[in-house]
Amino acid sequence: ALASFYVAVSILMTLNLKTFETLYEKNKRYKTILRYLTIVHNFGLMVFSMLTVYTLYSAMKTKYFVWIDYETVLKPMSPEIDESAIWITTLFAYSKVWEFLDTWFLLLRGRQTIFLQKYHHAGAVICWFLMKEYRPPVLFLSSYYNSIIHSMMYLYYLLSTLKLFKIPGVVRPIMTSLQLLQLVGGTIVINYNFITTYGLNFNSPTGFCNLVTTLYVLILIVLFSNFFYVNYIIAPKKKKKGKSKSA
């Protein structure tokens, strides 16, 4: 239902994109308010992501090992698991609704959003609410990986909005590479453990969550890879050719 709501609102806003674009360009007050709201949004998600990293690392470290013991963390949940890890992962699932604003703030500026972003947010809320409901062993590790990337990502968004200094162009492809690393690495670790522990049994809540999340992530990897190729490999080559022709 939440994913459908996100898609429906995004479509309605896209249909009125020209209106938002005109408003953003001609209404200074609207532009200023939107900028401050975006700053608060990015700052809030950055702080929350950092809190999630700290809470989950502390829970896994103190309960299991000096460093994260993947073999233990990925086993069925222990009744001894830190309560803080339970509530932070619940909040983390709800933060996927908060992240809808990533798309909506862009649309309110009159900027078109790509399919990757819409698929990313709609799929994330489905997968994390499934994991919140059934609490499979991968919940903590998935949230931990994702919150590390989001801490860096929202810091980047915040600095971009604040415009305190020019951010080097190399940062964007690095951020996309880290997102891909998280998706590929996390999928390999989690599925290796699932198959070695449960086999190919997808009838259980754990198996169902794993199947849905894996299918979602595999498509996301393809979309992110294509985004990286088009924007950071093809686009610079075209730009370079254009400059050489004009010279």
Side-chain angles (χ1 to χ4, degrees):
L2 285 169
S4 300
F5 171 71
Y6 164 72
V7 172
V9 172
S10 298
I11 290 171
L12 286 172
M13 292 178 74
T14 302
L15 292 173
N16 292 281
L17 203 62
K18 196 65 182 175
T19 304
F20 292 130
E21 185 181 3
T22 304
L23 194 60
Y24 186 76
E25 289 176 355
K26 295 186 177 180
N27 191 317
K28 191 174 181 180
R29 188 179 180 185
Y30 174 85
K31 187 174 182 178
T32 302
I33 291 172
L34 193 55
R35 179 173 180 267
Y36 283 122
L37 287 174
T38 305
I39 289 170
V40 172
H41 166 70
N42 290 330
F43 178 77
L45 278 171
M46 179 193 71
V47 171
F48 175 72
S49 297
M50 289 177 175
L51 176 65
T52 305
V53 172
Y54 173 77
T55 304
L56 288 177
Y57 171 71
S58 299
M60 290 188 286
K61 176 177 70 72
T62 54
K63 289 294 178 184
Y64 296 121
F65 204 60
V66 176
W67 181 239
I68 296 172
D69 181 354
Y70 291 98
E71 190 175 328
T72 308
V73 170
L74 286 166
K75 284 181 179 175
M77 287 197 186
S78 165
E80 299 176 1
I81 189 66
D82 198 313
E83 282 296 320
S84 62
I86 301 291
W87 65 258
I88 201 69
T89 48
T90 300
L91 289 177
F92 195 72
Y94 283 106
S95 77
K96 298 303 169 187
V97 180
W98 182 1
E99 289 172 17
F100 290 174
L101 290 174
D102 288 353
T103 300
W104 294 344
F105 279 143
L106 285 174
L107 292 171
L108 286 170
R109 290 166 62 186
R111 289 178 59 184
Q112 184 60 269
T113 55
I114 59 175
F115 175 74
L116 165 60
Q117 187 176 45
K118 295 184 181 75
Y119 174 81
H120 187 182
H121 288 308
V125 79
I126 292 171
C127 291
W128 250 272
F129 269 74
L130 267 177
M131 289 195 284
K132 178 185 77 69
E133 182 69 25
Y134 295 115
R135 298 203 176 280
V138 300
L139 174 60
F140 296 143
L141 205 56
S142 298
S143 301
Y144 180 70
Y145 283 156
N146 196 241
S147 57
I148 290 173
I149 298 301
H150 278 206
S151 298
M152 294 184 282
M153 188 177 77
Y154 284 105
L155 172 61
Y156 168 73
Y157 291 159
L158 178 64
L159 293 174
S160 298
T161 310
L162 289 171
K163 296 180 180 177
L164 299 174
F165 55 88
K166 187 177 180 180
I167 299 174
V170 72
V171 174
R172 287 190 67 192
I174 288 174
M175 289 303 306
T176 306
S177 299
L178 288 172
Q179 285 177 306
L180 275 167
L181 179 64
Q182 172 217 180
L183 294 169
V184 174
T187 301
I188 291 171
V189 170
I190 288 166
N191 277 281
Y192 172 78
N193 177 267
F194 175 79
I195 292 169
T196 54
T197 306
Y198 301 98
L200 294 174
N201 177 21
F202 298 111
N203 295 323
S204 65
T206 296
F208 179 68
C209 285
N210 193 80
L211 179 62
V212 171
T213 304
T214 299
L215 291 174
Y216 160 70
V217 170
L218 288 175
I219 295 172
L220 201 56
I221 289 169
V222 173
L223 293 173
F224 264 113
S225 299
N226 179 67
F227 177 83
F228 187 95
Y229 179 71
V230 170
N231 288 276
Y232 307 131
I233 296 176
I234 297 297
K237 286 181 180 179
K238 286 184 177 179
K239 191 176 180 180
K240 194 174 180 181
K241 281 182 181 179
K243 284 184 179 179
S244 61
K245 284 181 181 180
S246 61

